[in-house]
Amino acid sequence: MIYSKNIMNISVTILLSFVFSLVWNCASAEKVEPRKIEKIMKVRAGGGLRLRIAPDIKAQKIDVVPDGDVVETFGENGELEIQDGKQGRWVKVKWKKKDGYVFGGFLEFINVK
């Protein structure tokens, strides 16, 4: 009888440890740091600027950001490049709830106060 109580106590302890560990890991996994907007910029590309899934001219196109539209920027990627006569780097942006990359040579800084 004493032997089965010890086994039951050990089983309950192991089960509670497992549940605690599972809950702790799930709670900590939900903490996501918000991205910090670096700049607000305006598209100056004439016919619009392609929003891509990766910082590469060959990457799949998500959409076209119209000329004059504003994007939130989250940092530059890669080396300086020249695309269509403009020098710049790829920039991570958000536009109309879409995240992607645009070529920064066609972005113009706007002063938002």
Side-chain angles (χ1 to χ4, degrees), residues 8 19 30 32 41 53-54 69 89 91 97:
M8 188 172 204
V19 170
E30 292 177 14
V32 176
M41 301 188 87
I53 63 170
D69 269 21
R89 290 184 170 87
V91 180
K97 298 183 183 179

PDB file of all heavy atoms in Angstrom, residues 8 19 30 32 41 53-54 69 89 91 97:
ATOM      1  N   MET A   8       2.280   6.884  -6.856  1.00  0.00           N
ATOM      2  CA  MET A   8       1.261   7.877  -7.220  1.00  0.00           C
ATOM      3  C   MET A   8       1.801   9.290  -6.999  1.00  0.00           C
ATOM      4  O   MET A   8       1.605  10.171  -7.836  1.00  0.00           O
ATOM      5  CB  MET A   8      -0.002   7.648  -6.403  1.00  0.00           C
ATOM      6  CG  MET A   8      -1.163   8.484  -6.819  1.00  0.00           C
ATOM      7  SD  MET A   8      -2.589   7.908  -5.914  1.00  0.00           S
ATOM      8  CE  MET A   8      -3.850   8.459  -6.988  1.00  0.00           C
ATOM      9  N   VAL A  19       3.198  19.750 -16.993  1.00  0.00           N
ATOM     10  CA  VAL A  19       2.194  20.782 -17.270  1.00  0.00           C
ATOM     11  C   VAL A  19       2.780  22.173 -17.031  1.00  0.00           C
ATOM     12  O   VAL A  19       2.596  23.081 -17.851  1.00  0.00           O
ATOM     13  CB  VAL A  19       0.928  20.554 -16.407  1.00  0.00           C
ATOM     14  CG1 VAL A  19      -0.023  21.745 -16.509  1.00  0.00           C
ATOM     15  CG2 VAL A  19       0.220  19.281 -16.844  1.00  0.00           C
ATOM     16  N   GLU A  30       4.879  33.550 -26.656  1.00  0.00           N
ATOM     17  CA  GLU A  30       3.968  34.560 -27.167  1.00  0.00           C
ATOM     18  C   GLU A  30       4.547  35.972 -27.111  1.00  0.00           C
ATOM     19  O   GLU A  30       4.016  36.885 -27.716  1.00  0.00           O
ATOM     20  CB  GLU A  30       2.659  34.520 -26.384  1.00  0.00           C
ATOM     21  CG  GLU A  30       1.866  33.248 -26.631  1.00  0.00           C
ATOM     22  CD  GLU A  30       0.610  33.194 -25.802  1.00  0.00           C
ATOM     23  OE1 GLU A  30       0.216  34.234 -25.234  1.00  0.00           O
ATOM     24  OE2 GLU A  30       0.022  32.112 -25.707  1.00  0.00           O
ATOM     25  N   VAL A  32       6.425  38.778 -28.311  1.00  0.00           N
ATOM     26  CA  VAL A  32       7.024  39.190 -29.575  1.00  0.00           C
ATOM     27  C   VAL A  32       7.379  40.669 -29.471  1.00  0.00           C
ATOM     28  O   VAL A  32       6.533  41.484 -29.123  1.00  0.00           O
ATOM     29  CB  VAL A  32       6.042  38.969 -30.757  1.00  0.00           C
ATOM     30  CG1 VAL A  32       6.633  39.475 -32.046  1.00  0.00           C
ATOM     31  CG2 VAL A  32       5.655  37.507 -30.855  1.00  0.00           C
ATOM     32  N   MET A  41       8.757  56.897 -45.525  1.00  0.00           N
ATOM     33  CA  MET A  41       9.310  57.339 -46.804  1.00  0.00           C
ATOM     34  C   MET A  41       8.243  57.290 -47.890  1.00  0.00           C
ATOM     35  O   MET A  41       7.281  56.527 -47.800  1.00  0.00           O
ATOM     36  CB  MET A  41      10.518  56.482 -47.175  1.00  0.00           C
ATOM     37  CG  MET A  41      11.614  56.559 -46.113  1.00  0.00           C
ATOM     38  SD  MET A  41      13.133  55.774 -46.607  1.00  0.00           S
ATOM     39  CE  MET A  41      13.921  57.121 -47.458  1.00  0.00           C
ATOM     40  N   ILE A  53       9.024  39.684 -51.962  1.00  0.00           N
ATOM     41  CA  ILE A  53       9.078  38.857 -50.755  1.00  0.00           C
ATOM     42  C   ILE A  53      10.475  38.756 -50.167  1.00  0.00           C
ATOM     43  O   ILE A  53      10.635  38.354 -49.022  1.00  0.00           O
ATOM     44  CB  ILE A  53       8.511  37.429 -51.000  1.00  0.00           C
ATOM     45  CG1 ILE A  53       9.350  36.668 -52.023  1.00  0.00           C
ATOM     46  CG2 ILE A  53       7.067  37.479 -51.393  1.00  0.00           C
ATOM     47  CD1 ILE A  53       9.006  35.191 -52.126  1.00  0.00           C
ATOM     48  N   ALA A  54      11.490  39.124 -50.939  1.00  0.00           N
ATOM     49  CA  ALA A  54      12.884  39.052 -50.472  1.00  0.00           C
ATOM     50  C   ALA A  54      13.661  40.218 -51.081  1.00  0.00           C
ATOM     51  O   ALA A  54      13.243  40.787 -52.092  1.00  0.00           O
ATOM     52  CB  ALA A  54      13.515  37.726 -50.887  1.00  0.00           C
ATOM     53  N   ASP A  69       2.869  57.016 -52.798  1.00  0.00           N
ATOM     54  CA  ASP A  69       2.401  56.364 -51.576  1.00  0.00           C
ATOM     55  C   ASP A  69       3.517  56.344 -50.535  1.00  0.00           C
ATOM     56  O   ASP A  69       4.700  56.377 -50.862  1.00  0.00           O
ATOM     57  CB  ASP A  69       1.938  54.938 -51.854  1.00  0.00           C
ATOM     58  CG  ASP A  69       0.448  54.866 -52.180  1.00  0.00           C
ATOM     59  OD1 ASP A  69      -0.136  55.896 -52.568  1.00  0.00           O
ATOM     60  OD2 ASP A  69      -0.125  53.761 -52.049  1.00  0.00           O
ATOM     61  N   ARG A  89      19.992  50.463 -51.380  1.00  0.00           N
ATOM     62  CA  ARG A  89      19.952  49.120 -50.800  1.00  0.00           C
ATOM     63  C   ARG A  89      18.492  48.678 -50.752  1.00  0.00           C
ATOM     64  O   ARG A  89      17.588  49.500 -50.861  1.00  0.00           O
ATOM     65  CB  ARG A  89      20.513  49.129 -49.377  1.00  0.00           C
ATOM     66  CG  ARG A  89      21.998  49.356 -49.296  1.00  0.00           C
ATOM     67  CD  ARG A  89      22.476  49.241 -47.839  1.00  0.00           C
ATOM     68  NE  ARG A  89      23.912  49.227 -47.759  1.00  0.00           N
ATOM     69  CZ  ARG A  89      24.677  50.310 -47.688  1.00  0.00           C
ATOM     70  NH1 ARG A  89      24.126  51.506 -47.678  1.00  0.00           N
ATOM     71  NH2 ARG A  89      25.990  50.203 -47.614  1.00  0.00           N
ATOM     72  N   VAL A  91      15.188  47.662 -48.848  1.00  0.00           N
ATOM     73  CA  VAL A  91      14.623  48.162 -47.600  1.00  0.00           C
ATOM     74  C   VAL A  91      13.406  47.323 -47.230  1.00  0.00           C
ATOM     75  O   VAL A  91      12.527  47.080 -48.059  1.00  0.00           O
ATOM     76  CB  VAL A  91      14.199  49.649 -47.756  1.00  0.00           C
ATOM     77  CG1 VAL A  91      13.610  50.187 -46.465  1.00  0.00           C
ATOM     78  CG2 VAL A  91      15.378  50.502 -48.202  1.00  0.00           C
ATOM     79  N   LYS A  97      -0.701  47.002 -44.805  1.00  0.00           N
ATOM     80  CA  LYS A  97      -0.703  45.718 -44.090  1.00  0.00           C
ATOM     81  C   LYS A  97       0.089  44.620 -44.800  1.00  0.00           C
ATOM     82  O   LYS A  97      -0.024  43.451 -44.465  1.00  0.00           O
ATOM     83  CB  LYS A  97      -2.131  45.248 -43.818  1.00  0.00           C
ATOM     84  CG  LYS A  97      -2.924  46.189 -42.944  1.00  0.00           C
ATOM     85  CD  LYS A  97      -4.286  45.645 -42.653  1.00  0.00           C
ATOM     86  CE  LYS A  97      -5.071  46.660 -41.821  1.00  0.00           C
ATOM     87  NZ  LYS A  97      -6.411  46.187 -41.518  1.00  0.00           N
TER      88      LYS A  97
END
